[in-house]
């Protein structure tokens, strides 16, 4: 296997290829293939950018038709039919049924672009500089996003002070010993607290990179109440948890809250193509034309696959209540069964943004490494990589999911030296 050019010429900053040291040649659905012809079951799904699997044929055929018809590929923010159809479809199938009245801004094509846009807009609207974010949060790698990110290794990459933000404890940070918002309430009401009133609070409903803690619905509701009461904008970063990953299109639907600003990216194009959205309440639409812009905001092929994904999977609740719910049940059931058998293990997260926490922080990385040998791709999450992270595609076939889960159980068993008998119900589609 020829990997020399990557090692000699590509920057040492590369990371995923170190966990999975092979050259991948193809992928279909939830199966990836490498140059040796070895197959892997993908429990990583492009870090959440491939919620509909690799090369989903329903989306691909529309993409190919679009490309061969000489449709525009690049168009800045000019008007195109592809963009019109995306806006109409997103409004009709996603926003209106959920009673969400948002304006849509296309920032640059990545997650950190939508986070930067949200922070910048919140500051512009309120005239305040400070942003609050949460312990173990992850919001991206550019300076503004890094300033609201928790991880110290990632923050050190900035090479300059990351200012104008403070961290507050995420749900259950003190294991229930301290009332959730004690500190926040106190500092907001105390003019001597020294904490500047923030423009916004940014939150992930499930912390994708920071260890898969999932906020409770009551906690999110209380956060919404507090921010409304104090006239602080609430930003939900749904870059990883959104687009169906937690079981509903937006991850905050379960809590019934309406954020002021929502950041969407990773799986919004449905096909792994770069695309992002910043959604916000109409009264926040204050920028003058061109005050915020960028070259790659109109990725038309991504609009085409995004529209196709919404039409095929979200035009009614068949997919959400059917296959997606079944995949979630199967995965959660298996993780629970493994956790019961291995001491010091708990299930973290929600929906398909979930995983196993091990008391011994070395176990998750070892299981991921053994998993690679045995043909499953699983990542780790958390400040010490202490959580084994499972995020299969929402469209994964139930028999493939079960095959992967049996391999996973064997890998956990091999690393922890504990017998695990994982009996799963017969998959309905086998
Ligand atoms: C991945 C991620 C980002 C950053 O997205 P990029 O496309 O990598 O810039 C921001 N927020 C969350 C919650 C993410 O998971």
């Amino acid at each position: 296997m020829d990997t020399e050019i990557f090692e000699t010429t590509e920057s040492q900053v590369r990371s995923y290829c170190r966990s999975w040291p092979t050259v991948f040649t193809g992928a279909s659905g939830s199966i990836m293939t490498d140059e040796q012809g070895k197959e892997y079951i993908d429990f990583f799904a492009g870090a959440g950018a491939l919620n509909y699997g690799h090369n989903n044929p329903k989306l691909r055929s529309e993409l190919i038709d679009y490309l061969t018809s000489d449709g525009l590929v690049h168009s800045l923010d000019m008007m195109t039919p592809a963009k019109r159809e995306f806006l109409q479809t997103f409004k009709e199938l996603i926003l209106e049924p959920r009673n969400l009245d948002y304006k849509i801004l296309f920032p640059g094509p990545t997650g950190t672009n939508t986070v930067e846009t949200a922070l910048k807009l919140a500051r512009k609207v309120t005239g305040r500089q400070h942003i609050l974010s949460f312990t173990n949060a992850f919001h991206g790698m550019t300076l503004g996003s890094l300033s609201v990110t928790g991880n110290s290794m990632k923050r050190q990459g900035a090479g300059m002070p990351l200012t104008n933000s403070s961290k507050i404890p995420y749900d259950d940070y003190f294991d229930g010993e301290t009332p959730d918002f004690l500190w926040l309430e106190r500092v907001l009401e105390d003019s001597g607290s020294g904490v500047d009133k923030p423009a916004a609070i940014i939150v992930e409903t499930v912390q994708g990179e920071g260890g898969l803690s999932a906020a409770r619905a009551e906690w999110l509701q209380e956060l919404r109440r507090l921010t409304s009461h104090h006239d602080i904008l609430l930003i939900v970063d749904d870059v990883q948890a959104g687009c169906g990953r937690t079981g509903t299109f937006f991850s905050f639907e379960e809590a019934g809250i309406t954020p002021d600003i929502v950041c969407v990216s990773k799986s919004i194009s449905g096909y792994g193509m770069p695309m992002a959205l910043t959604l916000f309440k109409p009264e926040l639409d204050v920028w003058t034309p061109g005050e915020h812009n960028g070259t790659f905001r109109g990725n038309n092929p991504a609009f085409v696959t995004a529209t196709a994904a919404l039409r095929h999977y979200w035009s009614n609740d068949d997919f959400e209540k059917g296959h997606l719910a079944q995949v979630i049940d199967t995965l959660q059931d298996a993780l629970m069964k493994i956790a019961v058998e291995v001491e010091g293990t708990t299930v973290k997260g929600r929906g398909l943004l979930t995983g196993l926490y091990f008391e011994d922080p070395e176990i998750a990385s070892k299981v991921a490494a053994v998993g690679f040998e045995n043909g499953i791709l699983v990542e780790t999450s958390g400040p010490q990589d202490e959580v084994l992270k499972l995020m299969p595609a929402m469209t994964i076939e139930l028999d493939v999911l079960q095959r992967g889960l049996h391999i996973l159980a064997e890998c956990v068993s091999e690393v922890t030296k504990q017998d695990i008998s994982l009996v799963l119900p017969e998959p309905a589609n086998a």
Side-chain angles (χ1 to χ4, degrees), residues 47 109-113 115 138-141 145 204 206 208-209 237-241 265-266:
T110 69
T112 200
N113 293 145
V115 171
F138 179 80
H139 297 291
M141 289 294 201
S145 305
E204 297 160 275
V206 183
E209 302 300 306
D237 178 350
D238 232 8
V239 167
Q240 190 161 161
S265 183
K266 291 205 165 91

Side-chain angles (χ1 to χ4, degrees), residues 55 59-75 82 85 271 273 298-305:
N55 289 307
L59 314 189
R60 178 168 55 194
S61 59
E62 301 199 25
L63 175 62
I64 290 172
D65 288 349
Y66 184 77
L67 292 173
T68 50
S69 75
D70 272 347
L72 268 84
V73 171
H74 178 266
S75 61
E85 272 159 49
Y271 202 73
M273 284 195 290
N299 184 1
N300 287 279
F303 294 150
V304 170
T305 54

Side-chain angles (χ1 to χ4, degrees), residues 77-346:
D77 68 6
M78 289 182 269
M79 293 181 275
T80 63
K83 188 194 234 181
R84 179 165 55 206
E85 272 159 49
F86 171 74
L87 285 167
Q88 274 167 351
T89 309
F90 192 76
K91 190 171 175 199
E92 256 166 54
L93 298 184
I94 302 299
L95 296 181
E96 285 175 355
R98 292 165 181 77
N99 279 321
L100 295 169
D101 183 18
Y102 286 136
K103 292 296 280 284
I104 300 173
L105 184 153
F106 297 101
T110 69
T112 200
N113 293 145
T114 174
V115 171
E116 294 286 352
T117 302
L119 301 180
K120 191 171 153 182
L121 185 64
R123 287 176 169 133
K124 171 88 183 175
V125 167
T126 61
R128 297 177 220 135
Q129 291 169 26
H130 209 67
I131 307 275
L132 296 181
S133 63
F134 290 94
T135 48
N136 288 305
F138 179 80
H139 297 291
M141 289 294 201
T142 51
L143 291 177
S145 305
L146 259 191
S147 74
V148 289
T149 288
N151 188 290
S152 56
M153 181 270 276
K154 301 216 182 326
R155 290 174 67 86
Q156 271 159 24
M160 62 172 276
L162 297 169
T163 55
N164 292 312
S165 105
S166 309
K167 304 296 163 298
I168 53 179
Y170 194 68
D171 191 10
D172 213 25
Y173 193 65
F174 295 113
D175 301 322
E177 284 164 29
T178 310
D180 293 333
F181 291 106
L182 185 67
W183 186 87
L184 181 60
E185 288 231 65
R186 190 74 58 84
V187 297
L188 289 177
E189 266 149 32
D190 177 5
S191 60
S193 70
V195 174
D196 294 334
K197 181 167 174 171
I201 300 184
I202 182 166
V203 66
E204 297 160 275
T205 65
V206 183
Q207 297 190 312
E209 302 300 306
L212 293 171
S213 293
R216 288 162 301 149
E218 311 89 85
W219 186 87
L220 290 169
Q221 288 153 6
E222 182 60 11
L223 180 64
R224 177 67 284 190
R225 195 194 61 74
L226 262 172
T227 46
S228 298
H229 180 70
H230 289 278
D231 192 27
I232 296 164
L233 296 172
L234 179 63
I235 305 169
V236 169
D237 178 350
D238 232 8
V239 167
Q240 190 161 161
C243 301
R245 187 142 283 283
T246 64
T248 51
F249 189 84
F250 293 111
S251 70
F252 52 82
E253 287 175 44
E254 186 191 84
I257 60 165
T258 304
D260 300 297
I261 307 179
V262 184
C263 299
V264 179
S265 183
K266 291 205 165 91
S267 268
I268 186 65
S269 85
Y271 202 73
M273 284 195 290
M275 179 171 168
L277 307 175
T278 315
L279 313 174
F280 44 82
K281 293 189 171 165
E283 62 269 26
L284 306 183
D285 200 9
V286 299
W287 273 324
T288 53
E291 196 176 353
H292 185 70
N293 74 26
T295 308
F296 287 106
R297 292 171 301 148
N299 184 1
N300 287 279
F303 294 150
V304 170
T305 54
T307 304
L310 297 178
R311 287 209 186 117
H312 283 291
Y313 295 97
W314 300 96
S315 57
N316 54 43
D317 61 12
D318 287 359
F319 175 70
E320 179 180 342
K321 299 267 174 357
H323 187 77
L324 177 56
Q326 254 181 310
V327 171
I328 291 174
D329 279 353
T330 308
L331 177 60
Q332 291 291 338
D333 172 56
L335 293 184
M336 220 72 90
K337 284 174 175 162
I338 296 173
V340 164
E341 303 219 22
V342 183
E343 219 181 300
T345 309
T346 47

Side-chain angles (χ1 to χ4, degrees), residues 2 14 17-18 25 32 47 75 83 101 122 173 249 254 267 305 312 325 328 352 355 379 421-422 426-427:
D2 180 8
R14 65 199 190 281
C17 60
R18 297 177 193 276
T25 51
M32 293 175 72
S75 61
K83 188 194 234 181
D101 183 18
Y173 193 65
F249 189 84
E254 186 191 84
S267 268
T305 54
H312 283 291
I328 291 174
L352 300 183
E379 209 203 350
S421 69
L422 183 63
E426 276 293 300

